[in-house]
Amino acid sequence: MRLSRQFIAFALVGVVASLAHYSALVALVEFALWPAVPAALVGYVIGGVISYMLNRRHVFAGSDRPHREATWRFAAVAFLGFCLTFVAMRLFVDQWRAPYLAAQVVTTCLVMFVSFFANRVWTFGDALRK
């Protein structure tokens, strides 16, 4: 799969995962009255599980990396994204007083680029070379 097509597929998977992420975020903030930062992190975990399943099946299907190895690598990249989400949300929401949803949109875009390249090269072993 060409890089541009693979990135678009990754972004579409990200939309599905983000819908789950944002649904959890909004539900926890608006209905459960959680603070925005922990709610964003819970949403991130939910979205991450969905993201792995869809990326493994559709975006990086050409990878021959064993599932048991790809899973922990994906989790490590997701943890990096989790940490980036924490730092960005703390900056945007707690320090700069940005609205939490706008902050999450910017954070999601930043984390998406980091995650795509890390997963493409390290987690799934660059499925493009096949």
Side-chain angles (χ1 to χ4, degrees):
M1 183 182 307
R2 289 185 30 202
L3 177 63
S4 59
R5 187 165 183 226
Q6 192 176 38
F7 183 77
I8 290 169
F10 185 84
L12 290 173
V13 165
V15 167
V16 172
S18 292
L19 285 173
H21 177 167
Y22 283 46
S23 295
L25 169 65
V26 171
L28 290 171
V29 169
E30 300 298 332
F31 302 114
L33 305 177
W34 282 33
V37 173
L41 297 176
V42 169
Y44 188 86
V45 170
I46 292 168
V49 171
I50 292 167
S51 180
Y52 177 79
M53 293 185 304
L54 294 176
N55 275 304
R56 178 69 189 211
R57 177 176 283 269
H58 299 290
V59 179
F60 301 107
S63 175
D64 58 3
R65 184 162 323 271
H67 185 68
R68 67 186 177 280
E69 186 178 348
T71 302
W72 75 260
R73 287 174 180 246
F74 190 89
V77 171
F79 182 69
L80 172 63
F82 185 89
C83 293
L84 291 172
T85 297
F86 173 76
V87 170
M89 288 296 286
R90 287 291 304 254
L91 274 173
F92 293 142
V93 175
D94 292 344
Q95 297 295 316
W96 298 338
R97 304 289 183 225
Y100 76 91
L101 284 176
Q104 186 63 71
V105 169
V106 172
T107 298
T108 298
C109 291
L110 294 171
V111 171
M112 178 182 66
F113 283 102
V114 172
S115 297
F116 173 71
F117 287 105
N119 281 314
R120 184 174 192 272
V121 173
W122 188 62
T123 303
F124 296 105
D126 194 352
L128 184 66
R129 292 185 202 165
K130 306 230 172 297

